[in-house]
PDB file of all heavy atoms in Angstrom:
ATOM      1  N   LYS P 701      40.987  35.930 -19.239  1.00 98.00           N
ATOM      2  CA  LYS P 701      40.011  36.853 -18.853  1.00 98.00           C
ATOM      3  C   LYS P 701      39.137  36.383 -17.683  1.00 98.00           C
ATOM      4  O   LYS P 701      38.882  35.128 -17.613  1.00 98.00           O
ATOM      5  CB  LYS P 701      39.101  37.187 -20.072  1.00 98.00           C
ATOM      6  CG  LYS P 701      39.784  38.188 -21.123  1.00 98.00           C
ATOM      7  CD  LYS P 701      38.707  38.744 -22.048  1.00 98.00           C
ATOM      8  CE  LYS P 701      39.330  39.694 -23.017  1.00 98.00           C
ATOM      9  NZ  LYS P 701      38.366  40.433 -23.867  1.00 98.00           N
ATOM     10  N   LEU P 702      38.725  37.336 -16.855  1.00 98.00           N
ATOM     11  CA  LEU P 702      37.784  37.024 -15.825  1.00 98.00           C
ATOM     12  C   LEU P 702      36.305  37.339 -16.309  1.00 98.00           C
ATOM     13  O   LEU P 702      36.086  38.442 -16.676  1.00 98.00           O
ATOM     14  CB  LEU P 702      38.142  37.805 -14.576  1.00 98.00           C
ATOM     15  CG  LEU P 702      37.196  37.686 -13.372  1.00 98.00           C
ATOM     16  CD1 LEU P 702      37.167  36.295 -12.831  1.00 98.00           C
ATOM     17  CD2 LEU P 702      37.638  38.597 -12.202  1.00 98.00           C
ATOM     18  N   ILE P 703      35.400  36.376 -16.266  1.00 98.00           N
ATOM     19  CA  ILE P 703      34.088  36.490 -16.565  1.00 98.00           C
ATOM     20  C   ILE P 703      33.277  36.514 -15.371  1.00 98.00           C
ATOM     21  O   ILE P 703      33.317  35.469 -14.509  1.00 98.00           O
ATOM     22  CB  ILE P 703      33.545  35.481 -17.516  1.00 98.00           C
ATOM     23  CG1 ILE P 703      34.610  35.322 -18.689  1.00 98.00           C
ATOM     24  CG2 ILE P 703      32.227  35.832 -18.020  1.00 98.00           C
ATOM     25  CD1 ILE P 703      34.827  36.484 -19.511  1.00 98.00           C
ATOM     26  N   VAL P 704      32.530  37.490 -15.035  1.00 98.00           N
ATOM     27  CA  VAL P 704      31.747  37.605 -13.804  1.00 98.00           C
ATOM     28  C   VAL P 704      30.186  37.516 -14.087  1.00 98.00           C
ATOM     29  O   VAL P 704      29.655  38.487 -14.805  1.00 98.00           O
ATOM     30  CB  VAL P 704      32.010  38.897 -12.914  1.00 98.00           C
ATOM     31  CG1 VAL P 704      31.100  38.895 -11.625  1.00 98.00           C
ATOM     32  CG2 VAL P 704      33.492  38.862 -12.648  1.00 98.00           C
ATOM     33  N   VAL P 705      29.539  36.495 -13.585  1.00 98.00           N
ATOM     34  CA  VAL P 705      28.071  36.363 -13.810  1.00 98.00           C
ATOM     35  C   VAL P 705      27.340  36.598 -12.546  1.00 98.00           C
ATOM     36  O   VAL P 705      27.637  35.795 -11.524  1.00 98.00           O
ATOM     37  CB  VAL P 705      27.712  34.975 -14.423  1.00 98.00           C
ATOM     38  CG1 VAL P 705      26.227  34.781 -14.662  1.00 98.00           C
ATOM     39  CG2 VAL P 705      28.411  34.817 -15.725  1.00 98.00           C
ATOM     40  N   GLY P 706      26.392  37.521 -12.327  1.00 96.00           N
ATOM     41  CA  GLY P 706      25.752  37.690 -11.170  1.00 96.00           C
ATOM     42  C   GLY P 706      25.587  39.223 -10.860  1.00 96.00           C
ATOM     43  O   GLY P 706      26.112  40.119 -11.635  1.00 96.00           O
ATOM     44  N   ASP P 707      24.912  39.525  -9.812  1.00 94.00           N
ATOM     45  CA  ASP P 707      24.638  41.015  -9.465  1.00 94.00           C
ATOM     46  C   ASP P 707      24.717  41.033  -7.912  1.00 94.00           C
ATOM     47  O   ASP P 707      24.655  39.977  -7.187  1.00 94.00           O
ATOM     48  CB  ASP P 707      23.397  41.388  -9.968  1.00 94.00           C
ATOM     49  CG  ASP P 707      23.366  42.878 -10.309  1.00 94.00           C
ATOM     50  OD1 ASP P 707      24.259  43.569  -9.763  1.00 94.00           O
ATOM     51  OD2 ASP P 707      22.472  43.401 -11.121  1.00 94.00           O
ATOM     52  N   GLY P 708      24.736  42.213  -7.452  1.00 92.00           N
ATOM     53  CA  GLY P 708      24.674  42.425  -6.008  1.00 92.00           C
ATOM     54  C   GLY P 708      25.330  43.767  -5.527  1.00 92.00           C
ATOM     55  O   GLY P 708      25.741  44.577  -6.412  1.00 92.00           O
ATOM     56  N   PRO P 709      25.437  44.039  -4.302  1.00 91.00           N
ATOM     57  CA  PRO P 709      25.756  45.409  -3.860  1.00 91.00           C
ATOM     58  C   PRO P 709      27.225  45.780  -4.091  1.00 91.00           C
ATOM     59  O   PRO P 709      27.551  46.999  -4.087  1.00 91.00           O
ATOM     60  CB  PRO P 709      25.580  45.257  -2.356  1.00 91.00           C
ATOM     61  CG  PRO P 709      25.531  43.781  -1.932  1.00 91.00           C
ATOM     62  CD  PRO P 709      24.976  43.211  -3.222  1.00 91.00           C
ATOM     63  N   GLN P 710      28.134  44.783  -4.503  1.00 94.00           N
ATOM     64  CA  GLN P 710      29.538  45.077  -4.733  1.00 94.00           C
ATOM     65  C   GLN P 710      29.752  45.292  -6.170  1.00 94.00           C
ATOM     66  O   GLN P 710      30.917  45.406  -6.542  1.00 94.00           O
ATOM     67  CB  GLN P 710      30.522  44.098  -4.084  1.00 94.00           C
ATOM     68  CG  GLN P 710      30.641  44.271  -2.671  1.00 94.00           C
ATOM     69  CD  GLN P 710      31.960  43.605  -2.119  1.00 94.00           C
ATOM     70  OE1 GLN P 710      32.376  42.614  -2.705  1.00 94.00           O
ATOM     71  NE2 GLN P 710      32.536  44.088  -1.119  1.00 94.00           N
ATOM     72  N   ARG P 711      28.789  45.158  -7.028  1.00 96.00           N
ATOM     73  CA  ARG P 711      29.114  45.070  -8.488  1.00 96.00           C
ATOM     74  C   ARG P 711      29.737  46.344  -8.889  1.00 96.00           C
ATOM     75  O   ARG P 711      30.825  46.279  -9.631  1.00 96.00           O
ATOM     76  CB  ARG P 711      27.785  44.921  -9.301  1.00 96.00           C
ATOM     77  CG  ARG P 711      27.998  44.902 -10.779  1.00 96.00           C
ATOM     78  CD  ARG P 711      26.886  44.408 -11.565  1.00 96.00           C
ATOM     79  NE  ARG P 711      27.141  44.628 -13.078  1.00 96.00           N
ATOM     80  CZ  ARG P 711      26.356  44.288 -14.048  1.00 96.00           C
ATOM     81  NH1 ARG P 711      25.201  43.664 -13.656  1.00 96.00           N
ATOM     82  NH2 ARG P 711      26.682  44.357 -15.283  1.00 96.00           N
ATOM     83  N   SER P 712      29.371  47.577  -8.541  1.00 96.00           N
ATOM     84  CA  SER P 712      29.909  48.796  -9.088  1.00 96.00           C
ATOM     85  C   SER P 712      31.390  48.949  -8.634  1.00 96.00           C
ATOM     86  O   SER P 712      32.233  49.338  -9.357  1.00 96.00           O
ATOM     87  CB  SER P 712      29.080  49.990  -8.490  1.00 96.00           C
ATOM     88  OG  SER P 712      27.778  50.016  -9.036  1.00 96.00           O
ATOM     89  N   ALA P 713      31.641  48.583  -7.394  1.00 96.00           N
ATOM     90  CA  ALA P 713      33.063  48.575  -6.892  1.00 96.00           C
ATOM     91  C   ALA P 713      33.937  47.605  -7.636  1.00 96.00           C
ATOM     92  O   ALA P 713      35.066  47.959  -7.924  1.00 96.00           O
ATOM     93  CB  ALA P 713      33.024  48.333  -5.335  1.00 96.00           C
ATOM     94  N   LEU P 714      33.424  46.398  -7.855  1.00 97.00           N
ATOM     95  CA  LEU P 714      34.277  45.413  -8.560  1.00 97.00           C
ATOM     96  C   LEU P 714      34.432  45.916 -10.032  1.00 97.00           C
ATOM     97  O   LEU P 714      35.686  45.737 -10.585  1.00 97.00           O
ATOM     98  CB  LEU P 714      33.468  44.067  -8.602  1.00 97.00           C
ATOM     99  CG  LEU P 714      33.551  43.315  -7.307  1.00 97.00           C
ATOM    100  CD1 LEU P 714      32.554  42.139  -7.386  1.00 97.00           C
ATOM    101  CD2 LEU P 714      34.900  42.787  -6.956  1.00 97.00           C
ATOM    102  N   GLN P 715      33.590  46.506 -10.681  1.00 97.00           N
ATOM    103  CA  GLN P 715      33.823  46.993 -12.008  1.00 97.00           C
ATOM    104  C   GLN P 715      34.860  48.025 -12.036  1.00 97.00           C
ATOM    105  O   GLN P 715      35.587  48.125 -13.020  1.00 97.00           O
ATOM    106  CB  GLN P 715      32.508  47.478 -12.597  1.00 97.00           C
ATOM    107  CG  GLN P 715      31.474  46.290 -12.942  1.00 97.00           C
ATOM    108  CD  GLN P 715      30.248  46.902 -13.571  1.00 97.00           C
ATOM    109  OE1 GLN P 715      29.545  47.643 -12.891  1.00 97.00           O
ATOM    110  NE2 GLN P 715      29.836  46.397 -14.804  1.00 97.00           N
ATOM    111  N   LEU P 716      34.997  48.897 -11.049  1.00 96.00           N
ATOM    112  CA  LEU P 716      35.913  49.831 -10.987  1.00 96.00           C
ATOM    113  C   LEU P 716      37.335  49.193 -10.665  1.00 96.00           C
ATOM    114  O   LEU P 716      38.420  49.549 -11.283  1.00 96.00           O
ATOM    115  CB  LEU P 716      35.754  50.892  -9.798  1.00 96.00           C
ATOM    116  CG  LEU P 716      34.531  51.882 -10.050  1.00 96.00           C
ATOM    117  CD1 LEU P 716      34.322  52.715  -8.896  1.00 96.00           C
ATOM    118  CD2 LEU P 716      34.830  52.704 -11.386  1.00 96.00           C
ATOM    119  N   GLN P 717      37.399  48.141  -9.841  1.00 95.00           N
ATOM    120  CA  GLN P 717      38.571  47.535  -9.499  1.00 95.00           C
ATOM    121  C   GLN P 717      39.056  46.530 -10.628  1.00 95.00           C
ATOM    122  O   GLN P 717      40.284  46.375 -10.763  1.00 95.00           O
ATOM    123  CB  GLN P 717      38.357  46.588  -8.300  1.00 95.00           C
ATOM    124  CG  GLN P 717      38.115  47.378  -7.048  1.00 95.00           C
ATOM    125  CD  GLN P 717      37.571  46.569  -5.920  1.00 95.00           C
ATOM    126  OE1 GLN P 717      37.653  45.253  -5.920  1.00 95.00           O
ATOM    127  NE2 GLN P 717      37.065  47.137  -4.884  1.00 95.00           N
ATOM    128  N   LEU P 718      38.175  46.087 -11.501  1.00 96.00           N
ATOM    129  CA  LEU P 718      38.431  45.128 -12.524  1.00 96.00           C
ATOM    130  C   LEU P 718      37.879  45.581 -13.848  1.00 96.00           C
ATOM    131  O   LEU P 718      37.033  45.022 -14.455  1.00 96.00           O
ATOM    132  CB  LEU P 718      37.825  43.734 -12.160  1.00 96.00           C
ATOM    133  CG  LEU P 718      38.535  43.002 -10.877  1.00 96.00           C
ATOM    134  CD1 LEU P 718      37.537  41.887 -10.479  1.00 96.00           C
ATOM    135  CD2 LEU P 718      39.859  42.425 -11.345  1.00 96.00           C
ATOM    136  N   PRO P 719      38.469  46.715 -14.379  1.00 95.00           N
ATOM    137  CA  PRO P 719      37.986  47.179 -15.602  1.00 95.00           C
ATOM    138  C   PRO P 719      38.135  46.259 -16.811  1.00 95.00           C
ATOM    139  O   PRO P 719      37.427  46.319 -17.809  1.00 95.00           O
ATOM    140  CB  PRO P 719      38.849  48.466 -15.880  1.00 95.00           C
ATOM    141  CG  PRO P 719      40.038  48.325 -15.058  1.00 95.00           C
ATOM    142  CD  PRO P 719      39.645  47.490 -13.908  1.00 95.00           C
ATOM    143  N   GLU P 720      39.154  45.278 -16.738  1.00 94.00           N
ATOM    144  CA  GLU P 720      39.369  44.421 -17.803  1.00 94.00           C
ATOM    145  C   GLU P 720      38.438  43.069 -17.780  1.00 94.00           C
ATOM    146  O   GLU P 720      38.471  42.406 -18.744  1.00 94.00           O
ATOM    147  CB  GLU P 720      40.853  43.897 -17.765  1.00 94.00           C
ATOM    148  CG  GLU P 720      41.289  43.000 -16.616  1.00 94.00           C
ATOM    149  CD  GLU P 720      41.596  43.785 -15.420  1.00 94.00           C
ATOM    150  OE1 GLU P 720      41.073  44.754 -15.074  1.00 94.00           O
ATOM    151  OE2 GLU P 720      42.535  43.280 -14.694  1.00 94.00           O
ATOM    152  N   ALA P 721      37.816  43.006 -16.723  1.00 97.00           N
ATOM    153  CA  ALA P 721      36.785  41.848 -16.550  1.00 97.00           C
ATOM    154  C   ALA P 721      35.526  42.120 -17.350  1.00 97.00           C
ATOM    155  O   ALA P 721      35.182  43.230 -17.621  1.00 97.00           O
ATOM    156  CB  ALA P 721      36.480  41.613 -15.043  1.00 97.00           C
ATOM    157  N   VAL P 722      34.891  40.998 -17.686  1.00 98.00           N
ATOM    158  CA  VAL P 722      33.578  41.098 -18.408  1.00 98.00           C
ATOM    159  C   VAL P 722      32.489  40.739 -17.312  1.00 98.00           C
ATOM    160  O   VAL P 722      32.374  39.609 -16.825  1.00 98.00           O
ATOM    161  CB  VAL P 722      33.462  40.063 -19.526  1.00 98.00           C
ATOM    162  CG1 VAL P 722      32.097  40.102 -20.180  1.00 98.00           C
ATOM    163  CG2 VAL P 722      34.652  40.282 -20.508  1.00 98.00           C
ATOM    164  N   PHE P 723      31.555  41.676 -17.170  1.00 98.00           N
ATOM    165  CA  PHE P 723      30.470  41.570 -16.183  1.00 98.00           C
ATOM    166  C   PHE P 723      29.138  41.305 -16.978  1.00 98.00           C
ATOM    167  O   PHE P 723      28.744  42.141 -17.813  1.00 98.00           O
ATOM    168  CB  PHE P 723      30.326  42.818 -15.333  1.00 98.00           C
ATOM    169  CG  PHE P 723      31.395  42.970 -14.304  1.00 98.00           C
ATOM    170  CD1 PHE P 723      32.681  43.408 -14.579  1.00 98.00           C
ATOM    171  CD2 PHE P 723      31.163  42.569 -12.924  1.00 98.00           C
ATOM    172  CE1 PHE P 723      33.676  43.542 -13.592  1.00 98.00           C
ATOM    173  CE2 PHE P 723      32.068  42.678 -12.003  1.00 98.00           C
ATOM    174  CZ  PHE P 723      33.422  43.190 -12.295  1.00 98.00           C
ATOM    175  N   CYS P 724      28.603  40.200 -16.759  1.00 98.00           N
ATOM    176  CA  CYS P 724      27.426  39.749 -17.548  1.00 98.00           C
ATOM    177  C   CYS P 724      26.180  39.926 -16.783  1.00 98.00           C
ATOM    178  O   CYS P 724      25.061  39.673 -17.474  1.00 98.00           O
ATOM    179  CB  CYS P 724      27.595  38.228 -17.871  1.00 98.00           C
ATOM    180  SG  CYS P 724      29.184  37.816 -18.711  1.00 98.00           S
ATOM    181  N   GLY P 725      26.103  40.324 -15.532  1.00 97.00           N
ATOM    182  CA  GLY P 725      24.931  40.498 -14.871  1.00 97.00           C
ATOM    183  C   GLY P 725      24.267  39.154 -14.448  1.00 97.00           C
ATOM    184  O   GLY P 725      24.801  38.055 -14.764  1.00 97.00           O
ATOM    185  N   ALA P 726      23.085  39.159 -13.882  1.00 95.00           N
ATOM    186  CA  ALA P 726      22.398  37.924 -13.517  1.00 95.00           C
ATOM    187  C   ALA P 726      21.851  37.207 -14.668  1.00 95.00           C
ATOM    188  O   ALA P 726      21.345  37.798 -15.599  1.00 95.00           O
ATOM    189  CB  ALA P 726      21.319  38.217 -12.495  1.00 95.00           C
TER     190      ALA P 726
END
Side-chain angles (χ1 to χ4, degrees):
K701 285 194 176 183
L702 176 64
I703 314 299
V704 180
V705 178
D707 211 340
Q710 282 202 330
R711 178 170 176 172
S712 297
L714 285 169
Q715 286 180 304
L716 290 174
Q717 296 166 13
L718 292 163
E720 69 273 39
V722 179
F723 286 79
C724 304

